[in-house]
Amino acid sequence: MSHILDGLNSAQRQAVTATDGPVLVLAGPGSGKTRVLTRRIAYLIQEMGVPPWRIMAMTFTNKAAREMLNRVTTVLEGNTKGLIIGTFHKICAMILRREASFLPIANDYVIFDTADQRALMKLVLIEDLNLSDKQYTPQMVLGKVSNAKNDLIHPENYPINSYRDEIIQRAYQRYQLRLVANNAVDFDDLLMRAVMLFEQQPTVLQRYQTSYDHMLVDEFQDTNLAQYRLVQQLVERHQNIFCVGDEDQSIYRWRGADYRNVRRLREDFPDLQSILLEQNYRSTQTILDAARAVIDKNPHRTKKALFTDRGDGVKLMLHEAHDEVEEGQFVVETIATLTATDDIDPGECAVMYRTNAQSRAIEEAFVRANLAYRLIGATQFYRRKEIKDVLAYLRVVHNPDDDISMLRIINTPTRGIGKKTLETLQAWANNTQGSLYRVIEAMVDTPEQAPLSGRALNSVRRFGELLRGWQDVKAELPVNDLIQLILDETGFQDSLIDGTDEGNDRWGNVEEFVNVSVDFADVPLAEFLTELALVSEVDDLPEDVNAPSLMTLHAAKGLEFDVVFLVGLEEGILPHINSIDDPEQMAEERRLFYVGMTRARERLYLLYAFERFRYGSRDQFGVSRFLADVPSELLVGNRPLGGARQRREAAVTAWPSGGGRNGPDLPFDLPNNGARQRVFHSGERVVHAKYGEGIVIESKLRTSDEEVSVMFDDFGMKHLLASLAKLRKLDG
């Protein structure tokens, strides 16, 4: 046991050695939560005699799962056979494949990614509901459907309070039917179907409850209602649940995460042991004190007195740039200076921002300075077109009824199956209520009955023969050999290499994909496809690039750097304009700022611009209200010179509504955001010179204008600036 507890502080030891029953570990940033989780698993196995195969640990990324398994294996010197550590989605995918006989899908189902989901929802909107996908965009409808699934709301129970809700409910129903017809699930289905399975099949649930005596959950604050219910079902018998999380780092509300699950855990498990991890091993005390001052303003949370043995460190640098160009220039020049004079490694610097659009000016600054950088959250390897094309081939070979993947590959590379031929195939498939593959297969076997002739029929039959050949050998060939066979027989390489560098790069990506597949030579095709479908953005993060990282604050979760630049700290950016009128969203914006601050180990730079180019014009947004919560004694900063200073002093000096004139003083005065009172309100009828009559859905103040969202009777949803749109009220 001394080996397992070696190097742990008293609170960590208390968590690792906790008795059976429900345990909640509230772990502040940098407090060693992964160490506690892995040592807890090791303690269960070695000291409490729990067999590894009776332990299940759930995480949110494959990377975290791999790290935890590696650590446990190291501590126990390999005694981990049967231990399950995986993401929620991966574990649910495993359960659904095992229990497919109870489901409307077969165990060779495929997992649709975001692009597949949008393609399918577009078919639902246009073909099934005869709607415009411009008025009801697939992305919008899928967002509502995803929220419903996360809250375990089935299509028939979707709440209808408006005509728009009725459309979404109908789209949700048709979308689910099409998923089943494609023998497919989306990511939210993995969770919802697992919960439904356990609700509808008590004997199946009992089998899993008796198979696993201990359940551990990482990043518990990021769970949604479906994940919470799943965990609740699995531990109902033995109550041995060990959750590690931090309400203050819950920043994924937009994708269903609910920090209130911490409160639900306390209510549903009265015997819950709560343990605080407050010692930070990452940041200096100055950074921790500044971050704590910011997050302490949020209600309904457990306060933590974060402390460290690393000393006070340097003060936070607050910098006002004239605009986004100067902001980027300051970042690049500072990184260049730090790496040249302070022995800071370039890879230990990170620039973080609220929205992806902010990266452009930062990237351009790096390009102008001829400095390397890595952009986190750009097009990921597995989302590149050529990779998705190859994956689509594999998915059709694995699951021939996957029409979405079939539509992607049927004429890629070009093989003479044009739009008209495809329409004929789809019409025949609809008439026979079969998949495109079944139609193609019929043309191979009985060409005389086909509604095609000549070159079109020959092209379809050749393609069908290829598909059948791959089907025949898929069980015999390793995945990498199957991929190579498909590439060779389709002429994929010739279709990509077109004499350009871009073409060579695309083929290079495909070759790299083949290299990746070699590692899965002994893995069935179904498992290979599942692994790739569940790859997350953090899993794609390259480990070997020694360059500053650029990323959104959401993507920064779980990472840490010696030097962090938080840019764009202005009202309307952080906090985001869409959050200002919503207390729950504002609390999350504050948590997002807190997460960004606590990514820094040694130095933290806080930047805002006097003016910024947004919404098609130059505007002054005002400094983020969160900066007023940082104690002035923890800050140092420089005042801008010249015209920028003069223009700023000429601006209105009142602090934004809800902001910090009552907060600590900053080194200099802060400009106002200039927002005025709202004129338009939800439910009002308005008229526009071009779009005609409509109803106001919502109205939000921007820094110098009012943004009005109107559902027009004939033109659908439009987002307008009141000063330009010249809307006129019809009611009163």
Side-chain angles (χ1 to χ4, degrees):
M1 186 167 69
S2 59
H3 176 60
I4 293 176
L5 301 182
D6 187 41
L8 301 181
N9 62 41
S10 59
Q12 291 172 333
R13 283 176 175 243
Q14 182 186 357
V16 169
T17 61
T19 57
D20 283 352
V23 178
L24 172 63
V25 180
L26 290 174
S31 60
K33 70 175 183 63
T34 303
R35 173 183 292 185
V36 166
L37 268 169
T38 52
R39 298 293 181 89
R40 172 64 175 178
I41 295 172
Y43 184 83
L44 288 173
I45 296 171
Q46 184 164 305
E47 301 301 326
M48 297 180 67
V50 180
W53 56 87
R54 300 188 71 85
I55 299 172
M56 178 185 289
M58 292 187 174
T59 70
F60 276 84
T61 69
N62 292 309
K63 181 179 180 181
R66 287 194 298 269
E67 181 180 353
M68 286 175 59
L69 182 58
N70 289 339
R71 289 198 192 188
V72 175
T73 302
T74 299
V75 172
L76 295 181
E77 298 179 349
N79 182 27
T80 57
K81 185 177 181 180
L83 174 65
I84 292 183
I85 302 180
T87 66
F88 276 91
H89 292 92
K90 184 173 182 178
I91 289 173
C92 285
M94 174 194 71
I95 293 171
L96 295 185
R97 291 203 192 278
R98 286 179 179 174
E99 314 300 338
S101 61
F102 298 101
L103 303 172
I105 52 176
N107 64 1
D108 60 349
Y109 67 82
V110 294
I111 302 171
F112 276 10
D113 65 12
T114 302
D116 300 322
Q117 293 171 47
R118 288 180 183 172
L120 188 63
M121 184 59 78
K122 186 173 182 177
L123 292 177
V124 167
L125 294 169
I126 295 175
E127 295 186 1
D128 296 353
L129 303 182
N130 197 28
L131 294 170
S132 167
D133 64 332
K134 301 295 188 291
Q135 182 175 358
Y136 295 94
T137 65
Q139 183 174 356
M140 182 276 290
V141 179
L142 282 169
K144 298 296 183 182
V145 169
S146 177
N147 291 339
K149 290 184 179 183
N150 288 336
D151 289 337
L152 299 175
I153 299 173
H154 304 160
E156 61 272 17
N157 298 325
Y158 189 86
I160 300 176
N161 299 307
S162 65
Y163 176 69
R164 181 167 173 263
D165 291 339
E166 183 179 343
I167 293 295
I168 292 170
Q169 192 244 8
R170 288 163 55 196
Y172 185 5
Q173 287 179 320
R174 292 299 308 168
Y175 175 73
Q176 290 301 102
L177 290 173
R178 279 189 175 259
L179 278 175
V180 172
N182 280 270
N183 194 30
V185 297
D186 62 19
F187 289 101
D188 298 317
D189 268 336
L190 292 171
L191 302 173
M192 187 174 75
R193 286 200 179 279
V195 173
M196 288 171 57
L197 170 70
F198 289 151
E199 287 179 350
Q200 297 169 3
Q201 303 294 335
T203 56
V204 175
L205 173 59
Q206 185 178 18
R207 181 158 24 96
Y208 283 88
Q209 288 175 338
T210 55
S211 295
Y212 301 99
D213 294 330
H214 287 267
M215 174 78 61
L216 299 93
V217 182
D218 189 16
E219 303 285 10
F220 184 73
Q221 77 284 345
D222 290 335
T223 55
N224 57 35
L225 186 60
Q227 289 162 328
Y228 179 80
R229 178 61 186 142
L230 178 72
V231 171
Q232 195 179 29
Q233 289 173 319
L234 289 169
V235 303
E236 193 172 14
R237 183 183 66 86
H238 53 65
Q239 301 281 296
N240 291 329
I241 179 174
F242 188 92
C243 300
V244 178
D246 181 9
E247 312 118 304
D248 295 336
Q249 297 185 71
S250 179
I251 59 173
Y252 300 119
R253 184 172 179 260
W254 50 277
R255 69 184 189 196
D258 192 345
Y259 74 96
R260 291 171 298 186
N261 281 344
V262 173
R263 196 184 314 162
R264 291 189 180 105
L265 193 70
R266 292 191 173 109
E267 294 170 354
D268 293 337
F269 296 87
D271 298 330
L272 183 73
Q273 305 175 61
S274 292
I275 301 168
L276 286 180
L277 300 186
E278 298 174 301
Q279 183 169 358
N280 179 283
Y281 294 91
R282 175 190 301 157
S283 306
T284 64
Q285 192 65 51
T286 297
I287 292 173
L288 295 179
D289 290 346
R292 181 183 173 190
V294 170
I295 201 62
D296 275 350
K297 295 291 174 34
N298 262 0
H300 312 304
R301 52 176 292 272
T302 305
K303 290 196 173 184
K304 305 175 197 67
L306 300 178
F307 68 94
T308 183
D309 293 335
R310 301 191 65 236
D312 290 340
V314 299
K315 292 185 177 183
L316 282 60
M317 170 64 76
L318 179 65
H319 178 79
E320 179 193 62
H322 171 63
D323 56 16
E324 70 276 10
V325 176
E326 185 184 312
E327 182 181 62
Q329 183 178 342
F330 175 85
V331 168
V332 170
E333 290 178 351
T334 304
I335 290 176
T337 300
L338 290 174
T339 55
T341 61
D342 288 15
D343 200 27
I344 298 290
D345 194 74
E348 287 300 337
C349 299
V351 187
M352 302 175 187
Y353 33 80
R354 177 63 178 82
T355 64
N356 273 309
Q358 291 171 257
S359 73
R360 180 193 56 81
I362 306 295
E363 287 185 76
E364 289 179 356
F366 275 94
V367 172
R368 285 194 300 270
N370 197 29
L371 291 178
Y373 66 93
R374 58 177 182 170
L375 183 63
I376 310 304
T379 302
Q380 300 168 40
F381 180 77
Y382 293 110
R383 293 184 184 176
R384 292 176 173 139
K385 180 185 181 302
E386 59 273 17
I387 303 302
K388 286 182 63 63
D389 288 342
V390 179
L391 277 169
Y393 271 99
L394 293 176
R395 284 166 51 166
V396 168
V397 172
H398 168 63
N399 171 29
D401 294 325
D402 179 359
D403 276 358
I404 295 300
S405 294
M406 180 68 80
L407 287 170
R408 187 178 189 99
I409 67 170
I410 197 166
N411 202 40
T412 302
T414 304
R415 55 175 57 91
I417 302 177
K419 181 179 180 182
K420 188 174 180 179
T421 301
L422 183 55
E423 289 174 351
T424 302
L425 293 175
Q426 288 180 298
W428 195 13
N430 291 336
N431 290 336
T432 58
Q433 295 185 333
S435 65
L436 284 171
Y437 177 78
R438 303 307 166 188
V439 169
I440 295 170
E441 191 177 41
M443 289 188 180
V444 173
D445 294 334
T446 55
E448 65 278 1
Q449 298 178 11
L452 295 174
S453 60
R455 286 196 304 173
L457 176 59
N458 291 334
S459 296
V460 172
R461 293 192 69 205
R462 281 195 297 270
F463 179 53
E465 289 166 353
L466 286 175
L467 291 175
R468 180 170 289 178
W470 301 329
Q471 287 280 328
D472 291 342
V473 299
K474 70 176 182 180
E476 304 168 8
L477 292 181
V479 172
N480 55 301
D481 288 344
L482 177 61
I483 295 172
Q484 194 62 58
L485 178 65
I486 292 171
L487 295 176
D488 291 342
E489 295 190 347
T490 57
F492 211 85
Q493 180 175 1
D494 292 337
S495 73
L496 291 181
I497 297 180
D498 55 5
T500 66
D501 290 340
E502 291 81 2
N504 292 332
D505 288 343
R506 287 193 293 269
W507 177 245
N509 291 332
V510 173
E511 288 182 314
E512 178 60 25
F513 179 67
V514 176
N515 293 337
V516 169
S517 68
V518 172
D519 293 334
F520 295 84
D522 299 325
V523 170
L525 179 59
E527 187 174 335
F528 174 69
L529 291 173
T530 298
E531 285 288 335
L532 297 192
L534 298 177
V535 168
S536 73
E537 192 166 281
V538 174
D539 295 318
D540 267 357
L541 186 62
E543 302 283 354
D544 56 351
V545 180
N546 188 21
S549 299
L550 280 56
M551 68 191 75
T552 65
L553 286 162
H554 285 102
K557 180 76 181 301
L559 304 177
E560 58 184 69
F561 302 88
D562 285 345
V563 182
V564 170
F565 297 81
L566 300 183
V567 302
L569 300 181
E570 297 142 48
E571 288 289 302
I573 300 178
L574 186 65
H576 195 275
I577 185 68
N578 293 338
S579 304
I580 288 177
D581 292 334
D582 186 323
E584 283 284 349
Q585 291 185 23
M586 280 297 295
E588 178 145 323
E589 293 291 301
R590 186 178 291 276
R591 292 195 293 270
L592 197 56
F593 184 39
Y594 172 78
V595 166
M597 297 176 78
T598 54
R599 300 309 94 194
R601 288 192 285 252
E602 305 288 347
R603 299 171 185 263
L604 179 59
Y605 292 80
L606 308 175
L607 285 78
Y608 70 95
F610 167 67
E611 66 178 22
R612 190 176 294 271
F613 188 79
R614 292 186 75 203
Y615 303 109
S617 64
R618 290 264 164 211
D619 210 344
Q620 298 170 9
F621 289 83
V623 179
S624 171
R625 66 190 70 188
F626 300 149
L627 286 178
D629 298 324
V630 180
S632 57
E633 64 269 18
L634 303 180
L635 292 166
V636 294
N638 63 319
R639 300 180 179 220
L641 303 174
R645 175 70 176 175
Q646 295 167 6
R647 286 192 296 274
R648 181 172 55 76
E649 290 177 342
V652 180
T653 56
W655 187 265
S657 173
R661 271 298 178 190
N662 296 325
D665 292 333
L666 290 172
F668 41 76
D669 290 335
L670 301 171
N672 177 40
N673 67 356
R676 54 189 178 85
Q677 295 296 313
R678 283 190 293 173
V679 174
F680 300 96
H681 300 84
S682 178
E684 293 178 339
R685 294 286 297 178
V686 295
V687 63
H688 183 272
K690 177 180 178 182
Y691 302 125
E693 295 186 15
I695 186 170
V696 175
I697 302 300
E698 65 177 349
S699 172
K700 293 187 177 182
L701 289 178
R702 270 190 27 202
T703 55
S704 59
D705 210 333
E706 182 179 4
E707 184 176 344
V708 189
S709 298
V710 181
M711 178 65 76
F712 287 101
D713 298 342
D714 298 323
F715 288 87
M717 183 71 75
K718 301 291 180 185
H719 305 282
L720 308 168
L721 297 181
S723 63
L724 300 177
K726 295 182 171 54
L727 293 170
R728 180 168 56 86
K729 293 185 182 182
L730 292 178
D731 302 328

